[in-house]
Amino acid sequence: MNAFDLVLLVAVLVLAVVVIGAVLVGIRTLRRMGAAPAPEDPAFIAEKDRQEQSLAALRTAADEANSTIDVAKSAAAAARTEAAAAKAEAKAARAEARRVLDDARAEADTVLERAHKQAEADAEQLRTAARRSGEREVAVLAATTREQAAEVERRAARMDERERMHTEEVERFAERERQLTAAKAALAAREAALAQREAELTESEELRRRELERVAGLTAESARLELVDAIETQAKREAALLVRDIESDARNTAEQRARHIVVDAIQRVASEQTAESVVSVLHLPGDEMKGRIIGREGRNIRAFESVTGVNLIIDDTPEAVLLSCFDPVRREVGRVTLEKLVLDGRIHPHRIEEVYDLARQEVEQLCLRAAEDALVEVGITEIHPELVTLLGRLRYRTSYGQNVLKHLVETAHIAGIMAAELRLDVPIIKRSAFLHDIGKALTHEVEGSHAIIGADLARKYGEHEDVVHAIEAHHNEVPPQTIEAVLTQASDACSGGRPGARRESLEAYVKRLERIEEIAASKLGVDKVFAMQAGREIRVMVKPDDVDDIGAAVLARDVAKQIEEELTYPGQIRVTVVRESRVTEIAR
């Protein structure tokens, strides 16, 4: 029995109590009416009527209670029917649940069996793969072992071949030593023969002079004068030959010593080749950014070019724009400005001005940091702050494609190495070489040569007079008077003249080669002229009948001197005069 049945039972009991109470009240009322006075009494009649009305009301209430009891009974019957239906549904649900549970158990058994089979199949595949992998590794190891054995055999063969070659080389050296010994003996015999021949010639010359004096009938004074003239002519020629040999020996020794110092200095300074240009490329995240850079009716690009002074080139290059400007500092400021605008995404004239100020300050800081790094690398500690600022400007300045600040660092290192080799004052020479192009920071603001401008700046900010003189004399605006000035010139030429350091336009290069050939061809006795090794060497073919050996030396000196006076070129130019005599005879 559920809660609903209990509620119906309680309601039926309450109604039954009410009906019983009403029946008892009706019976009591009827009894009173049986013992009542005569009907003629109005009070009695009224009381009777009232009691009859109460009885009628009680009957009505009893009828309603009966009807309510009937409704409650019918509701109880319906509730019992629903309870029976619910019990039937619950039984059916329990049966369905048992069926579903049985099906689930059967499906679980099937899945478990299938999983076991799949696991066995996977395990078999893994075992097969492991077996195959092991076989492959064994094959690889075997191949590696064979290769290593072959390499060992090759190395042994190479060692045998090297040992054989070494033995042959030793034999060749022994044979060469025997040949040298024989050559020395033959040379000694030849020298003895030449000495004897020279003595015989001297004696013959003496006899010839005596015979000439006797035949000619010359006096002793006349013979002496004639002899003095002959000896004087011979002495002049021998003196010329001796001077040439001495000059050649001094030149070869000096060139060898200077070449050793310069080559050692350049080898110890590792520098990059030139890679500067007047155009910078900025990569964009997408081509749609080009439209935002241009702006409505081109107002953004016009504002950018007006504020930065840099030409912005937007073409069909995918995801890239070009910035063109001959002032490298302005170009770098423009590039940083555009890069910040692209990253920010807000591109309009007012924002361009704000970002330009930030970019200019950032580039100034980069220049100052670059100057400080260069000073630390060179080893200069005490220098005026204004000179540091000017050195920072050279971070983006180029000369023939070579970065000027890097050129100063390289020149200082080369000068320091050469000064150390010559046992000179290394700090003062490195300082002179490092500051020699400081005037290039102001060449677009102050008129004049950068050497003179740099010297004025160094003198203004308290540099040593030797440093000032080296700066103003490194391009011969002022004749160099000190060893510091000479070494500054030499280190500057080494840094700018090494291969790959500077670029040169094709037109200037061709004109320089043509002028070199014209200078050599204008000399007397020249047959052919060839400019070789990109203009760093010139070979002059002379006519052997017109130019002798001494004339060839004079011609080489004259050509080199005229090239030094008329042309400007990096490094040095070697002048080689070739005099060749050929004699041809036909055998018939």
Side-chain angles (χ1 to χ4, degrees):
M1 183 178 292
N2 53 16
F4 184 70
D5 295 337
L6 292 176
V7 171
L8 289 178
L9 181 60
V10 170
V12 170
L13 292 176
V14 171
L15 290 176
V17 171
V18 172
V19 170
I20 293 171
V23 171
L24 292 176
V25 172
I27 294 172
R28 188 181 299 172
T29 303
L30 288 177
R31 288 177 180 176
R32 287 180 181 176
M33 289 178 61
E40 290 84 4
D41 189 358
F44 176 75
I45 294 171
E47 182 64 22
K48 183 178 179 181
D49 291 337
R50 188 178 59 78
Q51 292 179 355
E52 288 179 356
Q53 291 178 355
S54 299
L55 184 59
L58 290 173
R59 289 175 181 171
T60 303
D63 294 336
E64 291 178 355
N66 290 329
S67 62
T68 303
I69 291 171
D70 294 336
V71 171
K73 289 180 179 179
S74 62
R80 284 192 295 272
T81 304
E82 291 178 358
K87 290 179 180 179
E89 290 179 359
K91 187 181 293 183
R94 284 193 293 272
E96 182 66 21
R98 290 193 191 95
R99 185 183 64 78
V100 171
L101 182 60
D102 294 337
D103 293 342
R105 288 175 179 172
E107 184 69 21
D109 294 337
T110 304
V111 171
L112 184 60
E113 183 178 0
R114 191 182 300 114
H116 284 303
K117 292 181 180 180
Q118 184 66 31
E120 292 177 357
D122 294 341
E124 183 64 25
Q125 291 179 358
L126 290 175
R127 286 192 294 271
T128 304
R131 190 181 305 111
R132 292 176 180 174
S133 177
E135 293 174 355
R136 284 197 299 270
E137 290 181 357
V138 170
V140 170
L141 290 175
T144 305
T145 304
R146 288 194 296 272
E147 290 179 358
Q148 291 179 353
E151 181 65 23
V152 170
E153 293 178 357
R154 286 195 296 271
R155 289 183 179 178
R158 284 199 298 269
M159 291 185 67
D160 294 339
E161 180 67 20
R162 189 175 298 173
E163 185 176 357
R164 184 183 63 80
M165 293 175 64
H166 180 69
T167 304
E168 293 177 355
E169 189 72 18
V170 170
E171 293 177 356
R172 282 198 300 270
F173 283 154
E175 181 65 23
R176 187 174 299 174
E177 187 176 358
R178 288 192 296 271
Q179 293 176 359
L180 288 175
T181 304
K184 287 181 180 179
L187 183 60
R190 190 172 180 181
E191 287 179 354
L194 288 175
Q196 183 179 359
R197 181 70 180 274
E198 186 177 359
E200 292 176 357
L201 288 175
T202 303
E203 185 179 357
S204 299
E205 183 69 19
E206 183 66 24
L207 292 175
R208 184 181 66 84
R209 284 199 299 270
R210 292 177 182 177
E211 184 65 20
L212 285 175
E213 184 177 354
R214 185 185 64 80
V215 172
L218 295 175
T219 62
E221 184 65 23
S222 299
R224 188 179 64 81
L225 292 175
E226 185 177 351
L227 183 60
V228 167
D229 292 337
I231 294 175
E232 183 179 359
T233 303
Q234 185 177 0
K236 286 183 178 179
R237 183 170 181 81
E238 291 179 356
L241 294 175
L242 183 60
V243 168
R244 186 190 66 178
D245 293 339
I246 293 174
E247 288 181 352
S248 178
D249 184 55
R251 188 183 300 109
N252 292 334
T253 305
E255 287 181 357
Q256 184 178 2
R257 176 63 176 165
R259 190 181 299 112
H260 171 72
I261 294 175
V262 171
V263 169
D264 183 64
I266 292 178
Q267 286 179 346
R268 290 169 61 183
V269 178
S271 301
E272 67 221 9
Q273 293 186 350
T274 175
E276 302 291 337
S277 63
V278 297
V279 177
S280 297
V281 180
L282 179 65
H283 295 282
L284 302 177
D287 287 337
E288 65 276 359
M289 185 61 68
K290 293 182 179 179
R292 300 178 62 183
I293 294 174
I294 295 173
R296 181 178 299 176
E297 298 178 355
R299 65 173 186 173
N300 289 345
I301 189 172
R302 286 197 301 271
F304 180 84
E305 293 179 349
S306 174
V307 171
T308 61
V310 178
N311 293 327
L312 193 60
I313 302 173
I314 301 178
D315 52 13
D316 296 335
T317 305
E319 299 182 355
V321 294
L322 302 178
L323 294 93
S324 176
C325 180
F326 285 98
D327 188 341
V329 178
R330 284 212 312 266
R331 186 172 69 250
E332 180 65 16
V333 173
R335 189 193 67 80
V336 175
T337 301
L338 187 59
E339 184 179 5
K340 289 181 177 293
L341 288 172
V342 170
L343 291 177
D344 184 47
R346 296 175 295 169
I347 304 177
H348 51 81
H350 182 66
R351 181 62 178 168
I352 290 173
E353 294 179 359
E354 294 178 352
V355 176
Y356 171 74
D357 293 335
L358 296 176
R360 184 165 51 81
Q361 296 175 4
E362 181 178 345
V363 171
E364 289 177 356
Q365 292 296 325
L366 290 176
C367 292
L368 185 61
R369 190 177 303 115
E372 293 174 351
D373 294 341
L375 289 170
V376 171
E377 183 177 356
V378 174
I380 297 176
T381 56
E382 297 180 0
I383 191 170
H384 197 278
E386 288 297 328
L387 292 179
V388 177
T389 304
L390 293 175
L391 287 171
R393 294 186 186 180
L394 300 178
R395 181 177 189 266
Y396 299 104
R397 177 69 186 268
T398 59
S399 176
Y400 293 97
Q402 185 182 25
N403 185 276
V404 177
L405 186 57
K406 294 179 181 178
H407 165 65
L408 294 181
V409 174
E410 181 178 339
T411 303
H413 285 314
I414 294 174
I417 293 171
M418 290 193 292
E421 289 287 338
L422 298 174
R423 292 179 176 84
L424 301 175
D425 189 357
V426 175
I428 194 69
I429 292 177
K430 290 182 69 174
R431 195 180 189 94
S432 302
F434 184 71
L435 296 175
H436 77 276
D437 275 345
I438 188 67
K440 289 184 178 180
L442 294 177
T443 52
H444 61 287
E445 299 177 3
V446 180
E447 294 183 358
S449 170
H450 73 274
I452 303 300
I453 296 173
D456 293 339
L457 287 173
R459 187 177 293 110
K460 176 181 177 181
Y461 294 115
E463 290 295 328
H464 194 273
E465 191 60 32
D466 291 339
V467 176
V468 175
H469 175 67
I471 294 173
E472 65 184 0
H474 79 276
H475 279 319
N476 289 322
E477 280 88 354
V478 175
Q481 302 293 333
T482 61
I483 188 64
E484 290 82 3
V486 175
L487 283 183
T488 300
Q489 280 187 340
S491 58
D492 183 26
C494 291
S495 175
R498 62 181 176 81
R502 295 184 175 180
R503 281 199 299 261
E504 186 178 17
S505 66
L506 179 61
E507 183 179 0
Y509 169 72
V510 173
K511 287 184 178 179
R512 179 160 60 85
L513 294 185
E514 291 177 352
R515 182 54 186 161
I516 290 174
E517 292 182 350
E518 290 176 0
I519 291 173
S522 63
K523 304 298 181 181
L524 295 176
V526 174
D527 185 17
K528 297 178 182 179
V529 179
F530 301 101
M532 306 177 66
Q533 295 184 6
R536 296 183 184 276
E537 180 179 358
I538 177 173
R539 293 189 181 180
V540 183
M541 306 295 181
V542 298
K543 300 175 182 178
D545 298 335
D546 299 338
V547 180
D548 57 3
D549 291 341
I550 299 176
V554 175
L555 177 63
R557 187 182 301 110
D558 293 342
V559 172
K561 185 176 180 181
Q562 188 173 354
I563 290 175
E564 290 177 357
E565 293 175 353
E566 295 186 9
L567 298 180
T568 301
Y569 49 90
Q572 62 183 8
I573 297 177
R574 180 193 301 272
V575 179
T576 303
V577 177
V578 179
R579 180 178 179 271
E580 181 181 15
S581 298
R582 294 185 181 182
V583 178
T584 304
E585 185 64 33
I586 299 175
R588 295 181 177 87

